[in-house]
Amino acid sequence: MDLTEIRGKYIGAVAGAADEAALEEVRVAALGKKGEISALMATLGRMDPDVRKAAGASLNALKDEIDAALRAKKSALGDAALDERLRAEWLDVTLPGRPRRVGTIHPVSQVMDELTAIFADMGFSVAEGPQVESDWFNFDALNIPPEHPARQEHDTFFMARATGDNRPPHVLRTHTSPVQIRALQAQGAPIRVIAPGRVYRMDMDQTHTPMFHQVEGLAIDRDISMANLKWTLEEFCRAFFEVDRVELRFRASHFPFTEPSAEVDIRYSNVGGQLRIGEGDKWMEILGSGMVHPKVLAAAGVDPTQWQGFAFGMGIDRIAMLKYGIPDLRAFFESDLRWLRHYGFSALDMPDLPGGLSR
């Protein structure tokens, strides 16, 4: 066994390897499981102890030397490849970076944040509740009678029930008013909360969608009146629409959960297709409101002989449309370029289809 000859063969082969593939062949031939040095290591067990000791030390030294040479060569090949790549590839680091498109908050989320901040300044906290609601919370507790149209399947999404399942009906909530009942039950009176969130109704046209967003407000105390309601809504409209002058008109109406009830209109004008809130000779309905019905207070466990208050509800999507000037509610869910630009996207150039037809 001439270790000097073996050493010279493999050290020379390592030095002559032109790439990592050739270097790997050398490693396998020398140090692989069936390599020459590995085979010599396997013969040590058949040697006399004194001979094995000397031979083992020499073989281990040779193995370590060849392994070190392999590592050094691999590193040198990697450095050479990197140098070649750097020579072939050129980058001007003084050029400005490529701008990346940045998105923005969805208008509905933005409006939710805005109105939450406005009502927070007036002492209202945010209350939340489930979107799948019991029939009792969604209707009964709000003094909505069994014969009311909203309790029919053509107006409300009822959850499916298996045959023999006799649990009380559950629905996709048609308003966020059930949250008011839950908040009253949990906190009692006095209370001031708003309840923003998704609601669901069987509607689909230019001004309605099956899923939309509402915010409802509730204030209960011992001496709250319609005057407090009017002030609250006026202050909200001034802050939200960012105008100094707001004029609201209250029209008598009927809601099962308030008495008296009022639809609220806001004065506006339309000049050159631009909506101007707070001026002009036109009126637009924006919300419903009223004093909380005594039966609603009683259903929530609040004594109506001691407490009273107001409630109101408005569509978040609708007031977002008014603020941002979008005429079609479906723009929230389809590719209306005005909303895409608001989100931070721009119109994309579409390639021509075969035959010269533009997409």
Side-chain angles (χ1 to χ4, degrees), residues 241 270 273-277 317-328 331-332 336 338-339:
F241 292 112
N270 195 320
Q274 182 179 4
L275 195 70
R276 297 181 180 178
I277 300 294
D317 313 76
R318 292 183 182 277
I319 62 173
M321 290 169 62
L322 294 179
K323 185 165 184 176
Y324 293 110
I326 300 299
D328 190 335
F332 283 104
D336 188 300
R338 291 164 295 187
W339 286 124

Side-chain angles (χ1 to χ4, degrees), residues 177-193:
S177 299
V179 181
Q180 299 179 10
I181 302 297
R182 292 181 177 275
L184 276 171
Q185 287 183 338
Q187 303 177 35
I191 189 173
R192 267 186 286 183
V193 295

Side-chain angles (χ1 to χ4, degrees), residues 159-170:
M159 308 305 292
R161 285 278 188 261
T163 303
D165 187 344
N166 296 318
R167 288 180 297 167
H170 279 69

Side-chain angles (χ1 to χ4, degrees), residues 7-336:
R7 175 188 178 279
K9 178 175 69 171
Y10 286 112
I11 292 297
V14 169
D19 52 37
E20 291 193 12
L23 190 66
E24 178 63 12
E25 291 180 2
V26 176
R27 186 195 69 78
V28 171
L31 304 179
K33 288 184 178 181
K34 297 181 180 180
E36 186 172 0
I37 295 175
S38 299
L40 291 174
M41 296 286 287
T43 65
L44 292 175
R46 298 192 295 271
M47 297 179 182
D48 291 334
D50 292 339
V51 177
R52 181 169 64 240
K53 183 176 181 181
S58 298
L59 280 173
N60 279 324
L62 177 59
K63 179 181 177 182
D64 291 343
E65 184 178 359
I66 293 175
D67 184 62
L70 287 165
R71 293 174 190 270
K73 183 64 175 182
K74 184 175 182 179
S75 177
L77 288 173
D79 290 343
L82 179 60
D83 290 340
E84 180 62 26
R85 183 181 174 187
L86 290 174
R87 284 192 295 271
E89 297 178 5
W90 183 81
L91 177 67
D92 186 351
V93 296
T94 65
L95 291 174
R98 294 184 179 92
R100 301 184 65 180
R101 290 174 178 158
V102 179
T104 61
I105 299 174
H106 191 283
V108 172
S109 299
Q110 180 173 308
V111 168
M112 280 191 181
D113 291 342
E114 291 175 1
L115 64 86
T116 297
I118 293 169
F119 282 114
D121 286 343
M122 291 187 276
F124 287 79
S125 60
V126 175
E128 296 180 331
Q131 295 181 43
V132 177
E133 191 57 275
S134 72
D135 190 65
W136 187 85
F137 276 107
N138 198 78
F139 296 122
D140 293 325
L142 294 165
N143 195 38
I144 299 177
E147 68 276 6
H148 196 280
R151 304 188 74 151
Q152 306 304 313
E153 291 187 355
H154 59 72
D155 272 7
T156 298
F157 292 100
F158 282 83
M159 308 305 292
R161 285 278 188 261
T163 303
D165 187 344
N166 296 318
R167 288 180 297 167
H170 279 69
V171 301
L172 292 179
R173 67 184 184 190
T174 58
H175 42 194
T176 57
S177 299
V179 181
Q180 299 179 10
I181 302 297
R182 292 181 177 275
L184 276 171
Q185 287 183 338
Q187 303 177 35
I191 189 173
R192 267 186 286 183
V193 295
I194 59 169
R198 296 186 184 93
V199 297
Y200 306 85
R201 296 181 190 174
M202 298 278 280
D203 282 328
M204 183 58 184
D205 57 38
Q206 185 174 353
T207 58
H208 298 87
T209 59
M211 186 280 291
F212 55 102
H213 302 81
Q214 274 191 347
V215 59
E216 304 205 11
L218 175 72
I220 303 295
D221 212 318
R222 297 191 183 276
D223 56 359
I224 287 182
S225 67
M226 289 287 287
N228 301 117
L229 170 64
K230 185 174 184 292
W231 178 87
T232 299
L233 295 178
E234 286 178 346
E235 289 299 305
F236 167 76
C237 290
R238 286 193 187 95
F240 180 76
F241 292 112
E242 301 177 35
V243 294
D244 295 328
R245 182 173 178 271
V246 167
E247 187 175 349
L248 299 181
R249 181 177 69 180
F250 285 68
R251 290 181 291 105
S253 185
H254 169 73
F255 304 115
F257 29 82
T258 53
E259 181 59 39
S261 303
E263 302 276 8
V264 180
D265 304 332
I266 192 167
R267 185 183 290 278
Y268 80 103
S269 65
N270 195 320
V271 180
Q274 182 179 4
L275 195 70
R276 297 181 180 178
I277 300 294
E279 61 181 64
D281 57 358
K282 298 181 179 180
W283 294 93
M284 179 188 305
E285 178 188 327
I286 58 170
L287 60 91
S289 65
M291 299 298 290
V292 179
H293 198 291
K295 290 184 177 180
V296 174
L297 293 174
V302 175
D303 185 354
T305 65
Q306 300 294 320
W307 303 94
Q308 63 187 38
F310 63 75
F312 59 85
M314 68 185 84
I316 294 176
D317 313 76
R318 292 183 182 277
I319 62 173
M321 290 169 62
L322 294 179
K323 185 165 184 176
Y324 293 110
I326 300 299
D328 190 335
L329 188 64
R330 289 172 295 189
F332 283 104
F333 310 104
E334 300 175 0
S335 299
D336 188 300

